């Protein structure tokens, strides 16, 4: 197929983000040598893309993530937890006290971006990430006759692809693209381009600067955590600059209060649905996880949609900002869907079909789209090819069909297996698949499956404690 | 850290068996009062058994929460109701330590140590524990890997839950019935005396004689009887029930919270003879005896007895002696005297903490009758 040089590697992880990191971290702790692992990634550091998304959506280092204290990205044991570390480093008992009282007496403790990144940087060094990293893009995963896979990689700056022969492949490519609705995409191809309708995960500082300088109307789409965060930013700027920033907030579904029976009641109000994390905590390991494991695919996907529906954590600060906005009239909720965007001078006119059946035209200087990312795995050419070439398939949520060990069903090659985690594994037997805890949970399952195939070992209590002690002392695994 | 029901049950049993027992053996020498290591370990066993029921309760409580989870501090606080409920069970089983302090120290420290273990150390030992909903015993053999084994595993888990829940509920019910039945018997097994005539020994079954029965007796015998006793110095105020000798010379005992007057003894306020009042000295936090503070009584304190004819007899305490169960000098205590005396005989403990059996006899002399 190619005359390029070949290398033999037992295990390759493609993606190089948090999903690859969780698995490599786990494998290294159980004694897999650096030489047996390659990570193919366009990024140098495993947290680079995550950090870029945080930055674009306006999260600074001291801002809080939406994650649990013991779901620690750089430590599979989750011990000591983020709260313990923060208390230790700042010499304040606050975070620790909070983790004790959450979520009944106060909001959940959540780690900050900076804390997570600093830990990741330390752990990336410790496990020897750089020596396993191949900077470049994987362009093809092909089965080899006789078992195993061939992975074609276009290295950064190289003319010809390099082929790696490997026993097993892990896929954790994350989202392929930002979710931009067709009507927004159409507008963005027009004269005003992408300046006026921006996606939350794109750099969009100019929007905040323009609004802080002269005020104006802004339309926000989306009701998730990113939308909450951008509303906070807009209102903070409004109050700091004194400009008249008027916010229209477009809801597709408007939740008027708590919904559901008493044993499954979801909090909400003023359009938002409130939940501390993307999924209820028990979806990671508790009874809801058991339920996702037992359900057949159709029911499972319905269930995952139900417990993972777009939501945002309730935070007192946000609630009081929006209350002020509603009272003073500069924050207005609109319920409906955008039918089309038009240009009028240098403004955007959004034609919205309201849920009442009527149409409404909203004029805004800017539109900020916070409706999320495109979750369809087939948007990655690599995965689209895999689905076309093998018996692998994609479920209705856009994830690869996997079994309970996160093995991609239908992509087997002799003894070789393809594993998927993170967003590429959604719709499988784990619901919160792209949360920190979910990535670790998947990594544990995959690593155990690999151990059964001769790569690394199971984490027995002794190995685990020794690994943990090394982590605590900062020694190489 | 969210546990499934099966995970909860496993975690509770494993942690109590490993951490709880180890900790108990370590701490027993440091606990106040005489504590037997065997009884302390058995206490952990009782807590584990009752816990199977408790976990079910917690699980149901969490069903009302969207997250199906609750703050870890709740897990810590849950120790309080568990300790309170376990106490009568321990008393009924004869495992309760002599003083509540000992129990609180033992239970409390064990609970905190286990809770701390759950907050981290356990995860360093069993990294999959928290991802498996609190299960330890998830066996993954080489052959299973990559197959659909986990579904089978879950069938197993559900069977485990069903069986464990069944056992837990049955045990909890049996224990609850046991506690109720045994709890009705006032005295601990060690109080059982040889049944010597006149001694306040354990009866097979104690019954509170109501005041009606007392007045019927008094009407028949046409004499005043004592109705109430009060010892202000130690905060005792109690109605007096009447106590009759039963077959074999054993005497009825009143309920723990009541004192009783032995109808064969002198009527308080008479110019000669010994009046006998009997009651419990138990120091239990749940059902303390009416005379639990008697050890604090000092010579010179006044005991007031009000009679059915409205008269009040006032006695002054002259002395207090405790006797082991098998050395109770019944003949001496009950022997008629020329001086007018009142003796309070308490059952179920001695004068010092940690002494859970024996009799204390308080002797007092008549000072005035009004």
């Amino acid at each position: 197929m190619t005359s390029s040089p070949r290398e033999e590697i037992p295990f390759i992880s493609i993606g190089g983000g948090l999903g690859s990191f969780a698995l490599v971290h786990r494998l290294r702790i159980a004694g897999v040598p650096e030489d047996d692992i390659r990570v193919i990634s366009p990024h140098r550091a495993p947290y680079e893309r995550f950090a870029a998304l945080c930055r674009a959506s306006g999260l600074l280092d001291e801002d809080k993530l939406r994650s649990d204290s013991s779901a620690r990205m750089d430590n599979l044991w989750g011990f000591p937890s983020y709260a313990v570390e923060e208390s230790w480093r700042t010499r304040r008992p606050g975070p620790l006290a909070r983790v004790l009282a959450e979520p009944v007496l106060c909001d959940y403790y959540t780690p900050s971006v900076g804390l997570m990144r600093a830990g990741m940087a330390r752990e990336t060094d410790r496990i020897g990430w750089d020596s396993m990293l191949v900077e470049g893009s994987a362009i093809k995963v092909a089965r080899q006759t006789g078992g195993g896979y061939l992975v074609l990689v276009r290295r950064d700056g190289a003319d010809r692809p390099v082929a790696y022969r490997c026993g097993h492949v892990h896929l954790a490519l994350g989202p392929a693209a930002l979710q931009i609705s067709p009507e927004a995409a159409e507008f963005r191809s027009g004269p005003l381009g992408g300046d006026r309708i921006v996606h939350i995960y794109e750099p969009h500082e100019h929007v905040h600067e323009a609004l802080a300088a002269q005020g104006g109307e802004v339309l926000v789409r989306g009701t998730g955590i990113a939308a909450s965060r951008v509303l906070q930013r807009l209102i903070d700027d409004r109050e700091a600059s004194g400009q008249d920033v008027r916010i229209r907030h477009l809801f597709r579904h408007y939740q008027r209060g708590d919904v559901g029976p008493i044993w499954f009641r979801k909090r909400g109000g003023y359009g938002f649905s409130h939940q501390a994390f993307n999924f209820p905590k028990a979806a990671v390991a508790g009874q809801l996880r058991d339920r996702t494991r037992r359900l057949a695919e159709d029911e499972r996907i319905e269930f995952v949609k139900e417990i993972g529906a777009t939501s945002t954590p309730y935070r007192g600060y946000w609630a009081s900002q929006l209350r002020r906005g509603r009272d003073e009239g500069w924050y207005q909720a609109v319920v409906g869907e955008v039918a089309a965007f038009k240009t009028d001078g240098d403004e955007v006119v959004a034609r919205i079909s309201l849920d009442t059946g009527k149409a409404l035209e909203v004029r805004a200087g800017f539109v900020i789209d916070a409706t999320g990312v495109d979750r369809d795995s087939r948007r990655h050419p690599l995965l689209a090819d895999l689905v076309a070439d093998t018996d692998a398939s994609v479920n209705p949520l856009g994830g690869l069909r996997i079994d309970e060990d996160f093995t991609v069903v239908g992509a087997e090659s002799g003894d070789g297996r393809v594993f998927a985690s993170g967003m590429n594994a959604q719709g499988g037997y784990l619901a919160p698949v792209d949360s920190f805890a979910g990535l670790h949970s998947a990594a544990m399952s995959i690593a155990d499956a690999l151990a059964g195939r001769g790569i690394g070992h199971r984490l027995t209590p002794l190995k685990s404690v020794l690994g943990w002690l090394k982590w605590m002392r900062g020694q190489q695994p | 850290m969210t546990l499934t029901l099966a995970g909860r049950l496993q975690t509770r049993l494993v942690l109590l068996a490993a951490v709880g027992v180890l900790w108990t053996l370590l701490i027993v020498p440091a606990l106040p009062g005489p504590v037997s290591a065997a009884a302390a370990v058995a206490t952990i066993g009782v807590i584990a058994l009752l816990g199977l029921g408790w976990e079910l309760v917690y699980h149901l409580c969490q069903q009302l929460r969207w997250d199906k989870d609750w703050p870890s501090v709740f897990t810590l606080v849950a120790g309080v109701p568990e300790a309170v409920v376990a106490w009568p069970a321990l008393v009924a089983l004869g495992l309760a330590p002599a003083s509540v302090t000992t129990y609180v120290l033992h239970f409390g420290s064990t609970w905190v140590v286990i809770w701390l273990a759950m907050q981290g150390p356990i995860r360093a030992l069993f990294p999959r524990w928290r991802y498996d909903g609190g299960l330890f015993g998830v066996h993954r053999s080489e052959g299973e890997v990559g197959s659909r084994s986990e579904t089978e595993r879950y069938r197993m888990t559900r069977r485990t839950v069903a069986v464990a829940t069944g056992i837990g509920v049955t045990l909890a019910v049996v224990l609850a019935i046991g506690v109720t039945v045994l709890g009705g018997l006032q005295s601990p097994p060690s109080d059982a005396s040889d049944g010597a005539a006149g001694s306040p020994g354990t009866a097979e079954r104690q019954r509170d004689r109501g005041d009606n029965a007392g007045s019927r007796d008094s009407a028949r015998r046409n004499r005043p009887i004592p109705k109430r006793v009060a010892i202000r110095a130690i905060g005792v105020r109690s109605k007096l029930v009447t106590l009759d000798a039963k077959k074999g010379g054993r005497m009825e005992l009143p309920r723990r919270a009541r004192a009783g007057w032995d109808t064969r003894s002198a009527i308080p306020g008479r110019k000669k003879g010994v009046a006998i009042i009997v009651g419990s000295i138990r120091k239990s936090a749940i059902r303390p005896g009416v005379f639990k503070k008697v050890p604090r009584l000092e010579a010179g304190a006044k005991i007031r007895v009000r009679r059915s004819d409205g008269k009040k007899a006032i006695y002054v305490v002259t002395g207090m002696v405790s006797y082991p169960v098998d050395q109770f000098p019944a003949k001496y205590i009950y022997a008629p005297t020329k001086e007018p005396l009142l003796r309070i005989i308490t059952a179920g403990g001695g004068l010092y903490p940690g002494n859970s059996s024996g009799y204390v006899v308080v002797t007092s002399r008549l000072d005035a009758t009004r």
Side-chain angles (χ1 to χ4, degrees), chain A residues 70 76-78 100 102-103 108 263 275 280-282 285 287 290 293 403-405 429 440 448-449 461 464, chain B residues 4 63 65-69 71 73 123-125 127-128 130-131 133 142 145-146 148 150-151 153-154 158:
Chain A
S70 62
L76 64 88
W77 303 277
L100 284 180
E102 70 178 20
Y108 270 106
W263 61 89
Q275 183 167 309
K281 258 182 135 180
Q287 63 185 96
D290 270 11
R293 241 195 269 241
D403 71 7
E404 291 90 333
D405 290 325
Y429 296 89
H440 275 304
D448 281 352
S464 175
Chain B
T4 57
Q63 296 315 299
R65 298 179 49 82
W66 168 258
D67 269 351
K68 309 292 177 225
D69 186 34
V73 79
R123 309 203 293 245
L125 266 165
R128 286 210 65 148
R130 64 178 178 144
Y131 296 111
E142 308 288 317
V145 173
R148 300 186 65 84
E150 294 211 21
T151 312
R153 184 163 72 79
Y154 270 79
R158 288 170 72 71

Side-chain angles (χ1 to χ4, degrees), chain A residues 331-372:
Chain A
Y331 169 83
Q332 224 179 359
V334 183
V335 188
E337 298 211 45
V338 176
F341 287 113
K342 289 186 303 183
T343 313
D344 183 16
D346 63 348
E347 285 197 319
V348 187
V349 179
R351 188 162 343 109
I352 296 168
S353 21
L354 297 176
D355 66 339
T356 54
K358 292 180 187 158
L360 175 77
E361 283 203 343
V362 173
R363 242 163 226 285
F366 299 96
V367 177
I368 300 178
D369 190 325
T371 51

